[in-house]
Amino acid sequence: MIDENINILELCKKPSRFETVKRVSSEWSGMDYLGSIKCRISNSFRMKYKIEPGLYAVGEPNENSDVFASANYKLSFDILRKALKGLNAWILVLDTKGINVWCAAGKGTFGTQELVKQANKVKLNSILSHKRIIVPQLGAVGVNADEVFKKTGFRVYFGPVYAKDIKTYLNAGRKKTSEMRKIKFSMFDRIILTPREIIPAIFKFFIFAFVVLLFFGIQPKGILFKSAWYCGEPFLLLGLTSILAGSFITPVFLPFIPFRPFALKGWLIGMLLTMFLIFLFNFQEQKNILILVIEILFFPMASSYLSLQFTGSTTFTNMSGVKKELKIALPVYLISSVISVILLIIYKLHKLALI
Amino acid sequence: MRYIKNVASLKFFAEKCTNCLICIDVCPHGVFLLKNKKVEVSDKDLCMECGACALNCKYGAIFVNSGVGCASGIIKGMLTGGAPSCDCGGPSSTECC
Ligand code: SF4
Ligand code: SF4
């Protein structure tokens, strides 16, 4: 998938020795754009979106050109090569198992060891006459600059967080402003991260819908579709609403929703929407107090759970905080689910005139 | 954006610090600041426990219990008994390189 962008650059450092290096274009092809979109949507696609580790050339680099380290997640690589447009530079791709720099650095695959290994493997020493490697700042989570220096003699420069700042950074003599060091998390960032929350939630919703329809469908005369739909419909609508609340509205409007814990943010939005829907539709079955209690207990909670999942996509939540949230939230989720199920069973037995 | 108050495990030992400024260079949330020529922690609540500062501080002046701040990763860690780990694409936001 990358071959269309590659040709071979022949290096001739010493007349007796030729080296060949793959050269990539800094333009994106249609396929590259398509891939960048697919990565946001499909987990399985993203997991396989890799390129070969090793050294690549952009433009006409020589022994004085800068080297940028990158991950072998193709999107990370693509973003970097696009940002290097018009420059002559090297890209050293580490084997991060197809994962982006930050996540891989957290796991240690984008790390000191791998950087040293790739630098040795491509014989960076023999290609360059300088001793600098520019590593994306977020790579610092896994790369210990001092150790790389001790093992290879190369000095690690932590470049800007965002590839778009690379040129400014280079022009300033490899200096970052404090703005270039900061990771941002704009509303746009959050919006494009939501499909990854919504899609798995929809899959869970199908299971939920099946169980709900089956449950309400069960009648003395067998399973009746009409009663399944009549009684189940509000639950299905409310279920979809909690996905909207927890996986879309809460993430997108994150900073504007009161409370710091994600579980509370999600619960609040879930509660507001659930109430809104209940009053709006004024379903027949809600005249039943049991059903009303279940709805108010369960759906805001589902939204809360989904919002908590979004902590995995943010750039500012920390492990200690999420652990603290989970310690309280998980028992609450468990208890309210159990209560909801018990109430449902009571409701059903009552309907069937068994109690 | 700030997360829950007073939970971050970041510890800074000023007596070991040589003011080499590496931590300021690597922290993506501006947690460290240079004030009167000395490095200090400006706001611990901004820390996301990524661990970049502690890994790159040569002088052992920073401690942080680093890990992923990701609910499903932590739940997975609880279930398997291992360290929290995520296999999400992470914050691969717009143009993170
Ligand atoms: S990296 Fe360590 S020694 Fe250097 S300024 Fe930061 S805390 Fe001090
Ligand atoms: S752990 Fe990460 S976010 Fe926290 S202070 Fe260190 S570099 Fe900054």
Side-chain angles (χ1 to χ4, degrees):
Chain A
M1 83 185 108
I2 187 168
D3 304 338
E4 57 188 295
N5 297 315
I6 291 190
N7 57 39
I8 301 293
L9 172 73
E10 287 197 333
L11 286 180
C12 180
K13 260 201 90 176
K14 301 186 188 101
S16 57
R17 249 185 56 213
F18 269 102
E19 306 250 2
T20 55
V21 175
K22 292 175 194 156
R23 174 161 50 189
V24 287
S25 136
S26 51
E27 302 284 346
W28 279 23
S29 68
M31 284 302 282
D32 295 330
Y33 281 101
L34 193 68
S36 76
I37 294 168
K38 277 188 175 171
C39 282
R40 314 270 182 222
I41 299 167
S42 159
N43 277 325
S44 53
F45 181 84
R46 191 176 61 242
M47 298 298 193
K48 285 186 294 205
Y49 204 48
K50 296 179 193 176
I51 51 153
E52 191 85 5
L55 192 66
Y56 293 81
V58 174
E60 301 279 344
N62 58 25
E63 72 271 16
N64 295 318
S65 308
D66 276 308
V67 187
F68 294 85
S70 179
N72 79 329
Y73 174 41
K74 187 167 174 296
L75 187 56
S76 301
F77 177 77
D78 281 356
I79 288 166
L80 177 59
R81 66 184 170 92
K82 197 170 159 197
L84 295 178
K85 193 175 174 175
L87 298 177
N88 301 315
W90 302 102
I91 302 181
L92 182 63
V93 175
L94 309 194
D95 185 1
T96 61
K97 318 276 176 241
I99 292 171
N100 73 60
V101 173
W102 201 4
C103 259
K107 287 178 198 292
T109 45
F110 188 102
T112 313
Q113 225 186 341
E114 175 63 18
L115 183 58
V116 171
K117 189 179 134 195
Q118 289 295 341
N120 289 334
K121 203 166 151 192
V122 305
K123 300 195 202 73
L124 217 46
N125 262 321
S126 70
I127 293 173
L128 304 172
S129 60
H130 64 77
K131 291 282 181 193
R132 301 181 305 264
I133 304 181
I134 300 175
V135 172
Q137 187 192 312
L138 297 180
V141 172
V143 172
N144 181 333
D146 194 41
E147 221 164 284
V148 172
F149 178 68
K150 281 182 189 145
K151 288 187 175 149
T152 62
F154 276 91
R155 278 199 58 193
V156 168
Y157 286 72
F158 289 113
V161 169
Y162 294 98
K164 66 169 172 49
D165 291 328
I166 286 177
K167 281 185 193 155
T168 330
Y169 166 79
L170 290 180
N171 289 340
R174 285 181 289 275
K175 292 237 156 39
K176 284 184 280 185
T177 61
S178 59
E179 264 320 291
M180 286 185 206
R181 292 194 180 105
K182 286 207 180 112
I183 181 133
K184 294 170 189 83
F185 200 41
S186 66
M187 189 180 273
F188 179 71
D189 293 338
R190 296 194 300 272
I191 289 172
I192 60 171
L193 285 167
T194 55
R196 285 206 332 234
E197 308 296 320
I198 296 170
I199 292 164
I202 294 282
F203 279 112
K204 285 182 196 145
F205 174 77
F206 284 128
I207 303 173
F208 169 80
F210 178 75
V211 174
V212 163
L213 290 177
L214 195 68
F215 178 83
F216 285 109
I218 295 176
Q219 296 296 329
K221 288 178 236 134
I223 296 177
L224 295 185
F225 186 74
K226 205 176 146 219
S227 75
W229 185 249
Y230 179 68
C231 304
E233 190 204 351
F235 272 51
L236 300 192
L237 275 179
L238 286 166
L240 283 178
T241 309
S242 15
I243 296 178
L244 178 72
S247 298
F248 187 76
I249 299 183
T250 309
V252 171
F253 295 97
L254 204 62
F256 311 107
I257 301 169
F259 306 123
R260 298 261 177 104
F262 280 47
L264 279 180
K265 285 177 189 280
W267 183 85
L268 180 73
I269 299 300
M271 191 58 158
L272 289 177
L273 285 192
T274 303
M275 287 306 212
F276 177 71
L277 220 67
I278 289 178
F279 284 115
L280 187 72
F281 287 93
N282 197 15
F283 304 114
Q284 267 310 305
E285 278 305 303
Q286 269 139 15
K287 304 273 152 55
N288 183 308
I289 183 77
L290 282 179
I291 291 291
L292 195 65
V293 171
I294 295 166
E295 285 171 350
I296 290 172
L297 201 61
F298 186 81
F299 293 103
M301 182 202 85
S303 160
S304 162
Y305 172 80
L306 292 172
S307 306
L308 202 43
Q309 297 299 314
F310 193 65
T311 52
S313 295
T314 61
T315 57
F316 68 97
T317 55
N318 54 42
M319 183 172 69
S320 304
V322 177
K323 276 190 174 163
K324 190 176 172 185
E325 283 206 53
L326 283 172
K327 224 182 254 170
I328 303 166
L330 284 183
V332 173
Y333 295 159
L334 203 69
I335 294 169
S336 11
S337 307
V338 170
I339 296 179
S340 306
V341 170
I342 294 176
L343 291 181
L344 262 183
I345 293 173
I346 297 177
Y347 163 83
K348 191 76 196 182
L349 292 176
H350 185 70
K351 274 271 145 161
L352 296 173
L354 295 176
I355 52 171
Chain B
M1 250 173 277
R2 281 177 172 74
Y3 194 39
I4 308 174
K5 267 190 198 136
N6 276 323
V7 288
S9 59
L10 181 72
K11 287 195 181 66
F12 174 58
F13 309 103
E15 67 282 3
K16 290 191 189 165
C17 174
T18 61
N19 299 303
C20 71
L21 309 185
I22 291 278
C23 51
I24 295 184
D25 192 41
V26 297
C27 178
H29 287 290
V31 171
F32 296 95
L33 268 186
L34 191 63
K35 219 179 191 179
N36 305 325
K37 300 202 174 123
K38 279 202 181 311
V39 167
E40 55 179 59
V41 172
S42 68
D43 184 350
K44 205 180 85 166
D45 292 339
L46 287 173
C47 173
M48 62 172 305
E49 299 183 331
C50 69
C53 53
L55 179 70
N56 278 285
C57 174
K58 282 188 258 186
Y59 307 96
I62 304 169
F63 167 83
V64 62
N65 183 12
S66 61
V68 294
C70 157
S72 60
I74 292 172
I75 295 175
K76 212 195 293 161
M78 284 174 179
L79 294 177
T80 58
S85 81
C86 61
D87 44 25
C88 43
S92 54
S93 53
T94 27
E95 342 160 49
C96 232
C97 59

